Each structure stands twice: as C-alpha cells, then as structure tokens.
Amino acid sequence: PPSHAAPQAHPRSGPGPALDSDTLARTVRAAADGDDRAWATLVAAYSKRVFALARSRCRTEALAEEITQSVFVTIATKLGSGHYAEQGKFEPWLFRVAMNRIRDEMRRQKRHATPTDPAVLSDARVAPEQAPGPDDRELAALRDAMQGLNGPDREIVELRHHAGLSFAQISETLGQPMGTVLARHHRALKKLRTMIENHASMKEAG
C-alpha cells in the first residue's frame, strides 16, 4: 500500500502550481503507484481549493480543514486501492468527492442542530474594537445572499468561484449538461447581485 494512506493537507500554506492535463495524468498515475512526491504535488495543487469549497459552507476553519483532510484520505485510499478508474477526469472526481463530503456534513449538522436560547442572543454585544469593518460587512452580505440560493445553484457558484473549476469540469462533476450549468450560474449570480443590492438599500434606508 502507498505510504500516503493517511495524508496531511495544509490548505492555508498556499496553492501549489497548476498542473496541465498531461502533467496531472502522470502525477495521478505516479501517486497511485505509491510515489510520495507525486502525492505531495496533488495535495499542494488542490488542498487549498478543496478547503475554500468546504469553508464556503462551514462555520469554522477547523471544520473546513477536517473535511479537507477527509477528502484527501478518501482520494489516497481510492488511488492506492488499484481501483481508480477516472482517467482524464481527476479534477471533477476530486471535487465530486469533496461535494459529497460537504453535503454529508451539512446534513449531519442539520440533524444535530439545537436552537439558540433567545436570552443568549439578546445579551450578545459586539465590543467597539470588534465592530465589523466595510470589508467584513460586504463579506457578511455575500454570505447571507449565498444562503438565499437553492442548493444546486449554490453548488455551481461554489465550484466555479471557490474551487476554481471550469464550466466543463462543473458539468462533469455534477453530471449536468453544460447548458444547464451555464444557465444556473447566470441565474445564481443575478440573484446574488439583486439580494446584495437590496441589502445595501435597506442599510442606507435604516
């Protein structure tokens, strides 16, 4: 079995170099054969993107890192088992694994969610030095708007703008026609823009 069976991804260390299709194919084959350097190349190239995708859904960086580690453990296990059959489709496969792991975690959180005591909310105060700045408010508005998208549209936005996939790769990852992916992406961005503009208008009116 390959020595990278329990990989450690470091998503905050910065992305590795982008791999062209031929280099990626060679690297995946070498990683499947147990080459630790090839595996390190894959982790460097993709861990930050997987982390960004997970962080877009998770409340904490710690959970996003946990999901990232879990994804790469799955990838390493599949590659090392000798049953990898995604030649030429590594990126869509990787992010399909990531999306499935994120969906599982979101379902788990929903099942175990507990309501917050209203008294806790009413007592919550933000210290002046902790008040959000303009950039923080814009990010919060975007996150709130993302919550307003339906699941399929949100996934397309996340895969495109967090994971950095091409529309062709998103189509392959989600198993949807290219036209459907493009239409949903356009519709989602339009809805996001509208929600953010409405949010800004309400702030100005208040």
Side-chain angles (χ1 to χ4, degrees), residues 76-88:
T77 301
K78 293 290 186 181
L79 287 179
S81 69
H83 296 108
Y84 174 70
E86 300 289 338
Q87 281 76 12

Side-chain angles (χ1 to χ4, degrees), residues 128-169:
E129 64 272 13
Q130 295 176 326
D135 291 343
D136 294 326
R137 287 194 292 268
E138 290 177 6
L139 182 58
L142 176 58
R143 287 176 174 167
D144 288 343
M146 287 288 287
Q147 295 285 346
L149 296 178
N150 64 39
D153 288 353
R154 181 174 180 176
E155 286 183 355
I156 288 173
V157 172
E158 290 170 339
L159 287 169
R160 177 63 175 162
H161 299 282
H162 292 289
L165 295 186
S166 68
F167 288 114
Q169 290 171 325

